[in-house]
Amino acid sequence: MYGLIPQATANGLANVLLLLFLVVELRGSLLDLGLVATVSALSIIPSLIFWGWLVDRTGRCKPFLLISFVGVGLVFLLIPFVRDVPQLLVLSAIRSVAYSASLPARQILTVESESREGWQGGMARMQFLTGLGETLGMGMGAATFGSLGFGTLFVLCGFFCIISALASALMVQDPWLMIERRLVVLERFTNTLVSASTLIGNADTFGQTMTPHKVSRMFHHSARFFFFGVFSFSLGGVALYSPLPAYFLSFFSTSTVFIVFLAGSMANALCYLLVNRMGGNVQRNLILTAVSRMLLIPLLIIPVMGLNSGLFLAVGVLASLGAAWALFDVASTCMFLEISQRGRAGFYGASIGLGSAVGGILGGYISMEYGFGLLFTFCSLIYAGSLIAFVLQFKR
């Protein structure tokens, strides 16, 4: 987990730096911002499925962490040489493929190092440390952008990734046997079997309502509403965030934009520390996060109205959105790892990636053609759809 911090620092710095580089240096449009997000997300979908299958297949995590950190670091070192948008799109795709190698590895390594009761705490600790690194990266960007410039900062990002690779090579230990997720699957099947046996044994009490078909359905769990909710949550987030730096640049300076995003990243990191204290009710947490984002996003229209409180409101909204993501991230990941089958560790990330791909292109297109007011309304409605999907999943 500690080896993730330098690479997370690079990501936090680069995520905003890349978008500003596209707008300021390459003179890219809002649609170009959406294209970068879309290409990155589309690249990550098959990559996550492949890397997740490979991690389960080999039973090892360390090699994929090293591949990821070195690959992403090399991409950062090449970005200063980019001269047009197509070149940046190619490097963004390569970065996504390399970055995705570490995601299933770090998730599986975390849960296989904990019992089921400790999964949420382990995921929260890991995400807190990565969130802390991203916050440090954004703070570094806000403090040094004016003096260092794009080239030096991208080289610094590459250097941080190499540090993570060296730290992982020295500190990470692969689990000798990946069994924790199998135990959870066995426990779930046993509980279902006991429940089905109890219902069949009391069939006279239920009468005609207890049919063989209803009993057999107990052994066929469907998660389609859950996956749709995850897809929508990711779509709404990327549709909002991909053109958001350009929106804030209309009102604030470049350094101030870094500070606004820094607030969101800081709240996101700190919220991971509070996840355990909020309890392990996954259903409540997922519904709460969807409601929070649905209600908060329309408030971003306030800076357009020219109010003096626009900056403070922008900071507050992004901080709240970051906190909501932390709660969603831990709850949804733990739920997926409980229901996922062996070899499918990358499917959760693929659902996130698909939502990101669609959200990236829609966010850029809607903001450019119809303005940010309609974009904020659209994103709020997307989160309403995510809320409905989660409610339907848990109702079943």
Side-chain angles (χ1 to χ4, degrees):
M1 290 185 184
Y2 292 119
L4 296 174
I5 295 178
Q7 191 258 0
T9 302
N11 271 346
L13 174 56
N15 285 340
V16 179
L17 192 66
L18 192 65
L19 299 177
L20 294 176
F21 178 76
L22 175 59
V23 173
V24 177
E25 290 290 309
L26 303 184
R27 306 297 181 185
S29 65
L30 291 173
L31 186 58
D32 291 328
L33 288 172
L35 282 174
V36 169
T38 299
V39 167
S40 299
L42 286 176
S43 303
I44 216 170
I45 296 170
S47 304
L48 279 171
I49 295 175
F50 172 73
W51 293 122
W53 172 82
L54 207 56
V55 170
D56 269 335
R57 181 78 173 177
T58 61
R60 301 191 65 192
C61 298
K62 180 189 286 191
F64 303 101
L65 294 174
L66 297 178
I67 290 171
S68 177
F69 297 152
V70 173
V72 174
L74 292 176
V75 169
F76 286 144
L77 294 176
L78 291 174
I79 289 179
F81 300 98
V82 167
R83 292 296 174 262
D84 54 40
V85 175
Q87 291 178 3
L88 186 63
L89 291 175
V90 171
L91 286 182
S92 296
I94 297 174
R95 177 194 173 194
S96 292
V97 173
Y99 178 69
S100 62
S102 72
L103 294 181
R106 68 176 71 178
Q107 291 173 354
I108 291 175
L109 187 61
T110 300
V111 300
E112 291 294 341
S113 302
E114 305 270 357
S115 63
R116 181 184 180 182
E117 292 73 19
W119 282 11
Q120 183 160 289
M123 292 297 300
R125 286 191 297 274
M126 181 186 72
Q127 295 297 78
F128 166 72
L129 291 174
T130 56
L132 178 63
E134 291 178 356
T135 303
L136 291 173
M138 290 187 181
M140 186 179 301
T144 63
F145 178 79
S147 57
L148 296 182
F150 287 110
T152 304
L153 289 176
F154 277 123
V155 170
L156 192 60
C157 289
F159 177 69
F160 282 139
C161 291
I162 301 303
I163 292 178
S164 277
L166 293 174
S168 297
L170 294 173
M171 295 190 292
V172 171
Q173 295 181 6
D174 284 316
W176 68 275
L177 180 62
M178 292 188 178
I179 197 173
E180 288 297 329
R181 287 179 299 150
R182 296 183 182 184
L183 292 177
V184 169
V185 173
L186 179 61
E187 178 186 353
R188 186 172 65 245
F189 176 79
T190 303
N191 290 338
T192 304
L193 185 63
V194 171
S195 299
S197 300
T198 301
L199 292 174
I200 293 172
N202 295 276
D204 293 339
T205 304
F206 296 98
Q208 296 182 352
T209 60
M210 181 50 59
T211 63
H213 175 68
K214 290 186 177 181
V215 174
S216 67
R217 283 186 60 190
M218 297 177 65
F219 294 92
H220 297 86
H221 300 280
S222 174
R224 61 179 181 271
F225 288 118
F226 168 73
F227 280 112
F228 181 79
V230 170
F231 165 81
S232 301
F233 209 97
S234 174
L235 189 158
V238 175
L240 173 70
Y241 275 88
S242 59
L244 205 55
Y247 173 69
F248 286 136
L249 281 173
S250 302
F251 309 100
F252 314 126
S253 67
T254 304
S255 297
T256 304
V257 171
F258 264 107
I259 293 173
V260 172
F261 281 93
L262 174 64
S265 179
M266 187 179 299
N268 176 262
L270 292 176
C271 191
Y272 281 114
L273 292 178
L274 304 177
V275 168
N276 258 350
R277 299 183 181 182
M278 297 186 68
N281 192 321
V282 172
Q283 302 178 16
R284 181 199 63 194
N285 292 348
L286 289 177
I287 290 174
L288 177 62
T289 55
V291 171
S292 299
R293 286 205 157 193
M294 180 183 67
L295 297 178
L296 286 168
I297 289 174
L299 297 178
L300 288 172
I301 201 66
I302 296 297
V304 176
M305 300 169 63
L307 298 182
N308 293 330
S309 58
L311 174 60
F312 298 102
L313 183 65
V315 168
V317 171
L318 258 66
S320 301
L321 292 175
W325 176 263
L327 190 59
F328 163 80
D329 187 26
V330 173
S332 61
T333 302
C334 289
M335 180 175 180
F336 172 76
L337 290 172
E338 287 186 16
I339 65 177
S340 65
Q341 299 178 9
R342 181 175 172 80
R344 297 186 178 180
F347 277 71
Y348 170 81
S351 300
I352 294 285
L354 182 60
S356 299
V358 178
I361 194 67
L362 287 178
Y365 175 76
I366 293 174
S367 59
M368 184 174 68
E369 294 293 328
Y370 303 103
F372 283 94
L374 184 61
L375 175 66
F376 298 153
T377 302
F378 169 78
C379 292
S380 184
L381 292 175
I382 289 295
Y383 280 109
S386 184
L387 170 63
I388 293 171
F390 288 142
V391 170
L392 291 174
Q393 177 67 46
F394 300 136
K395 182 179 180 181
R396 297 183 72 242

